Amino acid sequence: MIAPAEHGETYRPRHGSRARTTDRPVRIASTAGRHVEFALFAPHVASVALVGSWSRTPLPLQRDDGGTWRRKVLLPEGRHQYRVRLPSLSHFLNGQTVDVTDPFARLVDEANGDVGTIVIAGGRDVTTAYNWRHDDEPLPQDDELILYELHIGEFGVKDGVLGTFSTVIERLDYLRDLGVNAVELMPVAAFPMDRSWGYNVRHACAVENAYGTPQDLKRLVDECHARRMRVILDVVFNHTEGESPLTKIDFGYWFRESRKDELYFGPKLDFEHVDDTIRIDGQTVMPARKYGLDVAAYWLREYHLDGYRLDATFVLDNFDFVAALRRQSKELASGKPFYVVAEHLPEDPLIAGPDGPADGAWHQRFEHAVVEALISHGRNAADLLSVLQPRNDGYVSPARVVNYVESHDEPTLMQRLAEAGISGEAAFRKSKLAATLLFTAVGNPMLYQGQEFGGSRPRDLEIRPLQWAYLEADYGLHLKEHHAFLALLRRASPSLRGDQFAICHNRYGVIAYRRGSGETEVIVVANLRDVDRSAAIPFPCGAWQEVTFDYRIDARDGRLRDTFPASSAKIYVRLDQGR
């Protein structure tokens, strides 16, 4: 792969940062003219040769003291394919000599056996060349995020064909108008075949061919930045796909055997293994950690990302690696916001605590409590009120938690409601109510693709085009507009972005809670039952504006008397101080 510090015209250090060069497998580094240096970090194999489409004869590489095999090659103009040939140390290959794809290939040709590809034009490497245009746009801070999780193929579907980076770009204005300011991409690194959620990563630094080219992905990131939207990439470090290149070079060097009763999604990287026979910059090497940090640095620098969602950190089970990744990312981002959020399930708030390794964590208890409250018509109202303030679950600040009602890991809300026998108008009301709870709770809200218009799908691994036609129905359009209204309200209200939260009322399925204080104070009243209710709610005296139905109401004698439709919420914003 190309070392970012040596890209020449294909790379500009982001935000004035100084790019650093580290040894990593197989690196291709541009030098003068069309000379390219190939390098493979594989310290214990006996020999390495380069097999390239430009040469009839394999070219031997030389090992340096740090365990990296190197060779500079003069490449002609054009598109070239290459692999490395070596005697494998993996136990299941019994010493066979194998041709292996570059573990850090930036581009692979899936139609020809995933062979690594490099493109030379105009005397330089243009494999991932792109001219960034919107790097200097201001972006939201970590505690201001409204996230939207999407799958490139499902979200970007067009004319019945699964989506690409380019078709997703066509819908960025839709996301901006929805109020989203952070797009969370499900994994885009190359995987086998063309249809996958992306968690079976085979080539850690190559873009999935079915989605487009490296330039297409860069343009997607650039266009998000043009709309002042951050890009959070879902990355997988606890395992790889079974045919990934490192498994064929020296399995025991990078991977460990699975433990009893451990979930298995592919070979497990061994973040505890130390190679005390190799030193780089005076330090002994931890091979899997080195690999993971090199991958993380590559994506940040090459694609100008604004954050990572770390998949299955409970399974990864190594806070030290997560902490090192976060430190490295903050340094490379060079002052720009970079958000490292962990999917750590079962939840452990320590991963996002003051001394924890991540900036934030997925708040699964929120999803469980909200969905249960909606299905049970408020039977667990106390549990619901508890999760609306993540401090009750051990999280210390709003930026430390990502709340969600839907994600790729659960059935959609509409699916859950249908399974509980709730459909039609009742399901529509409960979906609106869920959105209000999500956007008025303490913490960063995250939507899952299609949630905003009532999209429905079961929990399975099928790749299903998003149901964009739902926006043509009144209920889908109205639901989407409700989400956009809530996003706008949240972005405009300091109280809804802060950490102040107080319970005002919990009786007969009607709950009320206060966000903030003073002139920006907001009070939310939710009727969890599926029948209309009238109630007198303890309220600060004064004039209030109900913003969902748009009317003014006065609270006298410390109570507000109002009517609350079935499975709905009202949001009151203070008009005066009542003094």
Side-chain angles (χ1 to χ4, degrees), residues 329-378:
S329 298
K330 301 290 187 184
E331 179 182 340
L332 293 176
S334 194
K336 287 282 187 173
F338 196 92
Y339 191 49
V340 177
V341 57
E343 182 217 22
H344 199 84
L345 308 174
E347 283 186 75
D348 180 358
L350 291 179
I351 198 167
D355 299 317
D359 296 312
W362 275 24
H363 191 195
Q364 188 184 53
R365 294 188 188 99
F366 181 92
E367 181 265 335
H368 286 173
V370 170
V371 173
E372 176 59 27
L374 296 176
I375 290 175
S376 69
H377 311 295

Side-chain angles (χ1 to χ4, degrees), residues 87-348:
S88 173
L89 294 177
S90 298
H91 61 276
F92 51 86
L93 288 173
N94 299 314
Q96 294 179 46
T97 295
V98 294
D99 288 354
V100 181
T101 302
D102 173 357
F104 276 73
R106 297 162 296 145
L107 185 64
V108 295
D109 185 345
E110 294 183 63
N112 289 289
D114 286 357
V115 64
T117 302
I118 181 172
V119 183
I120 304 296
R124 65 190 185 102
D125 183 339
V126 296
T127 310
T128 60
Y130 181 80
N131 181 31
W132 294 93
R133 298 186 300 156
H134 303 292
D135 259 358
D136 296 328
E137 290 292 335
L139 299 172
Q141 297 299 311
D142 291 349
D143 60 353
E144 300 172 329
L145 299 181
I146 298 173
L147 299 104
Y148 190 97
E149 184 188 25
L150 66 84
H151 179 276
I152 296 296
E154 295 182 338
F155 180 85
V157 64
K158 183 175 181 180
D159 299 328
V161 178
L162 290 181
T164 63
F165 298 127
S166 295
T167 58
V168 170
I169 291 172
E170 295 175 15
R171 291 202 166 106
L172 289 183
D173 287 345
Y174 165 86
L175 291 178
R176 178 197 58 198
D177 295 343
L178 183 62
V180 169
N181 61 16
V183 176
E184 184 174 303
L185 302 177
M186 291 173 66
V188 300
F191 49 76
M193 310 299 288
D194 291 337
R195 297 168 73 95
S196 170
W197 276 7
Y199 296 98
N200 54 336
V201 177
R202 179 175 287 180
H203 301 286
C205 291
V207 168
E208 170 55 37
N209 288 182
Y211 296 159
T213 66
Q215 288 81 5
D216 293 334
L217 175 55
K218 289 182 176 184
R219 187 164 66 91
L220 170 57
V221 175
D222 211 17
E223 290 298 326
C224 284
H225 290 164
R227 293 159 177 81
R228 300 187 177 182
M229 296 160 57
R230 288 171 66 173
V231 180
I232 314 294
L233 182 63
D234 197 338
V235 287
V236 183
F237 288 116
N238 69 84
H239 67 276
T240 70
E241 191 268 340
E243 295 294 316
S244 62
L246 290 183
T247 67
K248 301 176 182 179
I249 297 173
D250 188 349
F251 187 96
Y253 192 66
W254 282 283
F255 301 95
R256 62 172 174 80
E257 296 300 325
S258 294
R259 298 163 185 154
K260 184 179 179 181
D261 300 326
E262 184 176 54
L263 293 174
Y264 184 81
F265 302 104
K268 301 283 189 183
L269 288 159
D270 186 355
F271 289 99
E272 303 298 329
H273 177 216
V274 177
D275 182 354
D276 56 12
T277 70
I278 298 295
R279 302 184 74 86
I280 297 178
D281 297 330
Q283 301 293 320
T284 56
V285 171
M286 300 182 75
R289 185 174 300 189
K290 176 184 185 305
Y291 167 77
L293 292 177
D294 286 343
V295 170
Y298 171 77
W299 281 98
L300 190 160
R301 291 184 292 197
E302 185 73 26
Y303 291 97
H304 296 199
L305 300 172
D306 311 295
Y308 287 132
R309 182 261 191 191
L310 303 183
D311 180 61
T313 52
F314 178 82
V315 181
L316 189 151
D317 193 26
N318 194 294
F319 275 23
D320 288 343
F321 170 72
V322 176
L325 183 150
R326 178 173 177 260
R327 286 194 301 270
Q328 172 183 272
S329 298
K330 301 290 187 184
E331 179 182 340
L332 293 176
S334 194
K336 287 282 187 173
F338 196 92
Y339 191 49
V340 177
V341 57
E343 182 217 22
H344 199 84
L345 308 174
E347 283 186 75
D348 180 358

